[in-house]
Amino acid sequence: MHVLAALGEQAGPLADLTRQYHRYAASGEINSTVDDQASRVAAVRARFAARTVDVDELDGITIDLDDGSWFNVRASNTEPLLRLNVEGPDEAAMSAVRDEALAVIRGE
């Protein structure tokens, strides 16, 4: 409804309206087998602490970073897995966070 209202308030096409918004680069869900889910999540939290802007623990741990990137790490309830999802303002930022988080999760 908000999009339709905004579109109705401008003379141009929808493409002009949406051009001001940009999509984040996303990693998609990446699964990693781990022996101790809780310790790996704690290690990830510690690794990113200096760059953390906000933390949400509703579903696993979601960390917002100071560069505009964010990621979520959550444990599987049925398998010894941690699931990682990362988004960043561009592909390079997302890839850097993804690679760093995976290294901690996998103990590399």
Side-chain angles (χ1 to χ4, degrees):
M1 297 303 290
H2 291 288
V3 172
L4 291 175
L7 185 58
E9 294 173 0
Q10 73 165 15
L14 180 60
D16 290 345
L17 177 64
T18 59
R19 211 172 268 119
Q20 64 185 315
Y21 302 99
H22 67 280
R23 293 177 53 111
Y24 272 55
S27 67
E29 188 168 85
I30 303 166
N31 295 318
S32 299
T33 301
V34 297
D35 291 332
D36 185 353
Q37 296 167 328
S39 71
R40 294 291 85 212
V41 171
V44 169
R45 185 175 192 156
R47 175 65 163 267
F48 287 91
R51 295 179 280 163
T52 297
V53 174
D54 189 37
V55 176
D56 183 330
E57 295 181 4
L58 181 63
D59 182 20
I61 186 169
T62 300
I63 297 179
D64 295 328
L65 299 174
D66 58 6
D67 71 349
S69 301
W70 68 269
F71 65 91
N72 173 269
V73 179
R74 64 183 181 84
S76 168
N77 291 326
T78 59
E79 301 174 277
L81 298 175
L82 285 179
R83 303 182 192 287
L84 172 68
N85 284 283
V86 181
E87 288 192 0
D90 56 45
E91 189 72 25
M94 182 279 297
S95 295
V97 172
R98 179 200 62 211
D99 294 347
E100 186 175 356
L102 283 174
V104 175
I105 288 169
R106 295 175 178 170
E108 297 172 351

